[in-house]
Amino acid sequence: MTDDFTSDALRYLLGEMDPDQHRAFTERMARDPVAAQAFKDCADSLTQFAISAAAPRPVSEFEREANLAAILARARPAAVPVPNRRRAWGALAWPIAAALLVALNLLQFLAPRGVPPAGTTPGTSLADASAASARTTTSGGIPSPSPTGLTSASAGTSSNSTTGTPDRLTAEFARLEELRRDYAMLKQARDSLDQQYNVALQQLARRALTEQGIGRLAAMELVDANSYARGDRKGLMNLARDLLTEPGIVVVDPGRGGPGEVGVSEVPSLLPGGGTPSTSTEAPYAWSVFDEKDNRGYLNLYNLPNVAPTDTLQVWVKPAGSAEFQPVGLVPPQYYGKSGSVSYELPAGNATPSEVLITLEPRQNRPARPTGPVVLRGP
Amino acid sequence: MLPFDADALRQHRIWVNRMASGDAEALTELHHAYVSILFGIARRILHDPEDVREVVQDTFVKAWNQAGQYRPERGEVSAWLVFMVRNTAIDRLRQRTRRAHAVAGLADDLAGEQDLQPAPHEDAERRDLLAHTLTELSTEQRRALELAFFNGCSQHEIAQAMSAPVGNVKNYLRRGLLKLRQLASRHD
């Protein structure tokens, strides 16, 4: 055979021919026995090479049986074990018997009801019991008895058919393989979703950095008065770890609130949504981020106390270098007794807040400086 | 020369013939004879154990469904199954990985020699002869054939991976296969 034929044979075997070339080569082999033999030699030779280059992987008995059971369960038309070909006629005994019993059962079901024959339970029949028995002995991936077709081997002719244990094992192996496939598919889907989530979060962060122009951020924790006095902190970095897309950068989305109130911002993936009911036994907590580029601050508030209608929660900040707290807004009433996110804006020229404070003040005639009980304070 | 002697190959053809008639026992026998080999080939292509397992199962199911289409004049049953698992695995590989990654990582795949392990139903003499087959090929011929067979690379991709002209790659593949045929005819 020529070098060209060898090249063509290789391309044919490796699936590199286009449909026209494939058809032409197939026709050539069909009419030229020398070419056909040469092609066979190529196929066998390449097979020999592949087996030599890829070490066969030893397969345990269990894995082989499980693999085979899964294959038999998937094979269509359904694989029919015929272990003893000499007893082929015996294989018809069960289906004929089953067909007769099913027919008798149907006749009894469809015929007018009368006094049941002695020895049977009303509502059931010997045919019911026999048919049920026949069905249960042929479970496990092997087709149930049908009135016309060959079924699994007849009783007594094979240990692989109507006895219980081998069929149950086969069925269990097949089921195990199905579960393993399902698990692998679900794991793959979960991995894919995780990847999509991370990609989406990264894209959101990049968009926030470029479109929103978020610059340097200052962050601090706010705790209740007792914790503040003791110096207890939860550890801001523990909270921010999952949110940081780059060192020191937190993804936020600015929002606007009503007049006199700090803006209610929708902050994706930060808090458990605005207005989440808080646990009464947990102390209030917050952490704050200040965007120096926009002079805007963000507060994530947790477990806020309930507030009487005559009172309000006032937010104060002390810009760096200043000795006085100045009011920046009120926490919206919808967050009383709950958790939520808010934002505020400082006038241009103000430095980054060095302290943030939330106190309980009267709603009417609010003071110019903090006077009421401290709800939250930081850093 | 294949890892099975003439009698075994004849028996395999009988099994496939019986499979075409719906004989599941024949499928069981064929599975027993080839499962290790097909696992080895699939693993060489795919690496992921779940993919390997599924591809081997798919191959035997295809063999069952297409048993009536097997043509012994086109190749032995081993060739039929080996190419079936190879094509199934390559399709799966193309679904999962980008070709560039496969080409880029080839240097690692081909860096070391693989230790041969005995295949089932194979005697020591045939095993040694099989091992000898690989050593008869030049390094370039072997690499080119492995890239084509196990990685599904086109000639251009092989040329890129081997940093060789496409014409040279064609020669490696052609001469490699010719040498394999010569070795096979020598030992049969």
Side-chain angles (χ1 to χ4, degrees):
Chain A
M1 278 292 113
T2 63
D3 285 352
D4 286 342
F5 178 87
T6 304
S7 295
D8 287 344
L10 189 59
R11 290 176 57 227
Y12 184 96
L13 287 166
L14 298 178
E16 293 179 4
M17 282 186 165
D18 61 42
D20 289 336
Q21 292 171 332
H22 190 276
R23 188 168 45 248
F25 193 82
T26 304
E27 289 170 357
R28 179 181 176 182
M29 286 194 291
R31 65 174 181 267
D32 185 352
V34 175
Q37 181 60 47
F39 175 81
K40 181 178 182 299
D41 293 341
C42 288
D44 292 338
S45 300
L46 198 52
T47 299
Q48 170 189 340
F49 166 81
I51 295 173
S52 304
R57 199 204 83 175
V59 180
S60 67
E61 178 83 17
F62 176 82
E63 188 173 9
R64 189 172 64 232
E65 292 301 322
N67 193 265
L68 179 62
I71 292 165
L72 289 172
R74 289 173 56 192
R76 289 290 181 274
V80 178
V82 184
N84 193 337
R85 301 176 70 82
R86 294 177 192 169
R87 304 290 294 272
W89 278 111
L92 292 174
W94 269 114
I96 293 172
L100 286 173
L101 291 172
V102 168
L104 286 172
N105 194 32
L106 282 173
L107 278 175
Q108 186 181 13
F109 179 75
L110 294 172
R113 288 193 180 274
V115 177
T120 63
T121 307
T124 64
S125 68
L126 291 174
D128 286 335
S130 299
S133 173
R135 280 195 294 276
T136 56
T137 56
T138 57
S139 63
I142 298 173
S144 302
S146 76
T148 56
L150 285 175
T151 68
S152 51
S154 58
T157 60
S158 166
S159 63
N160 218 16
S161 58
T162 56
T163 56
T165 303
D167 291 341
R168 278 201 296 273
L169 280 175
T170 302
E172 285 169 9
F173 281 136
R175 178 64 182 148
L176 177 63
E177 275 303 309
E178 280 181 32
L179 288 172
R180 289 170 78 171
R181 267 202 298 275
D182 290 344
Y183 171 77
M185 282 171 51
L186 287 171
K187 184 174 179 298
Q188 198 174 22
R190 186 199 67 186
D191 292 342
S192 174
L193 285 171
D194 281 346
Q195 194 179 8
Q196 289 175 33
Y197 171 80
N198 289 334
V199 168
L201 199 57
Q202 293 286 340
Q203 288 175 349
L204 187 63
R206 284 192 211 100
R207 280 184 59 192
L209 290 171
T210 57
E211 295 177 13
Q212 304 291 338
I214 291 179
R216 200 170 76 99
L217 301 176
M220 67 176 73
E221 282 185 71
L222 282 73
V223 295
D224 63 280
N226 290 334
S227 298
Y228 187 85
R230 291 191 303 267
D232 291 341
R233 301 290 185 272
K234 288 186 188 295
L236 178 64
M237 290 310 297
N238 290 334
L239 291 175
R241 185 178 300 118
D242 291 338
L243 307 173
L244 286 176
T245 55
E246 292 183 23
I249 302 296
V250 175
V251 178
V252 291
D253 189 25
R256 294 287 183 268
E261 293 181 346
V262 276
V264 176
S265 63
E266 291 185 359
V267 184
S269 73
L270 282 180
L271 282 183
T276 303
S278 59
T279 313
S280 60
T281 58
E282 296 187 30
Y285 179 78
W287 61 278
S288 166
V289 174
F290 188 80
D291 182 356
E292 293 182 347
K293 181 173 176 298
D294 287 347
N295 249 29
R296 173 168 288 277
Y298 303 86
L299 283 165
N300 296 317
L301 304 164
Y302 300 83
N303 310 321
L304 292 176
N306 286 306
V307 178
T310 54
D311 293 332
T312 186
L313 294 177
Q314 174 79 56
V315 181
W316 312 84
V317 300
K318 185 188 292 184
S322 170
E324 302 290 336
F325 278 102
Q326 54 181 271
V328 293
L330 307 175
V331 176
Q334 70 224 48
Y335 287 173
Y336 296 161
K338 296 175 182 173
S339 301
S341 300
V342 297
S343 68
Y344 62 89
E345 192 170 2
L346 280 185
N350 278 262
T352 301
S354 60
E355 288 187 56
V356 177
L357 180 69
I358 300 177
T359 59
L360 183 68
E361 306 290 352
R363 181 170 283 276
Q364 302 297 330
N365 302 320
R366 288 194 301 274
R369 294 288 180 265
T371 59
V374 171
V375 177
L376 283 167
R377 186 172 185 175
Chain B
M1 187 209 64
L2 292 164
F4 305 103
D5 59 25
D7 289 338
L9 293 173
R10 192 178 311 115
Q11 181 60 58
H12 298 172
R13 289 194 291 271
I14 294 173
W15 285 338
V16 173
N17 201 29
R18 283 167 50 188
M19 280 165 55
S21 303
D23 185 349
E25 186 189 7
L27 174 61
T28 302
E29 297 288 349
L30 197 72
H31 180 267
H32 181 74
Y34 281 98
V35 64
S36 296
I37 293 174
L38 299 193
F39 259 106
I41 291 177
R43 187 178 64 164
R44 177 68 193 267
I45 297 173
L46 289 170
H47 307 296
D48 180 80
E50 210 47 52
D51 282 344
V52 169
R53 189 177 296 112
E54 287 183 14
V55 160
V56 170
Q57 285 183 16
D58 289 347
T59 299
F60 279 107
V61 172
K62 281 184 191 176
W64 170 262
N65 292 334
Q66 298 172 13
Q69 301 168 28
Y70 165 66
R71 296 285 178 269
E73 61 273 16
R74 297 276 179 87
E76 297 295 339
V77 171
S78 51
W80 184 58
L81 289 175
V82 162
F83 277 95
M84 198 178 289
V85 75
R86 181 260 177 192
N87 294 338
T88 306
I90 292 292
D91 288 343
R92 182 69 65 98
L93 181 67
R94 286 172 181 159
Q95 288 174 11
R96 296 204 184 285
T97 62
R98 284 178 292 173
R99 187 63 62 83
H101 172 74
V103 172
L106 286 168
D108 296 330
D109 288 345
L110 302 178
E113 292 289 334
Q114 283 196 358
D115 290 328
L116 289 175
Q117 295 181 19
H121 313 301
E122 180 186 288
D123 58 33
E125 185 184 353
R126 298 187 79 84
R127 184 170 65 245
D128 292 340
L129 288 172
L130 274 173
H132 179 65
T133 299
L134 294 181
T135 62
E136 287 287 310
L137 298 173
S138 71
T139 304
E140 291 80 10
Q141 290 168 354
R142 178 180 171 176
R143 282 189 180 175
L145 286 169
E146 286 177 340
L147 287 169
F149 188 91
F150 294 110
N151 295 82
C153 291
S154 66
Q155 291 176 353
H156 288 276
E157 288 164 342
I158 296 172
Q160 185 184 352
M162 294 180 65
S163 301
V166 174
N168 288 11
V169 168
K170 289 183 181 177
N171 280 334
Y172 296 151
L173 291 171
R174 187 170 53 232
R175 289 175 186 169
L177 187 55
L178 281 171
K179 189 171 287 185
L180 288 173
R181 287 180 60 192
Q182 289 164 6
L183 289 169
S185 61
R186 191 191 307 166
H187 294 298
D188 278 339

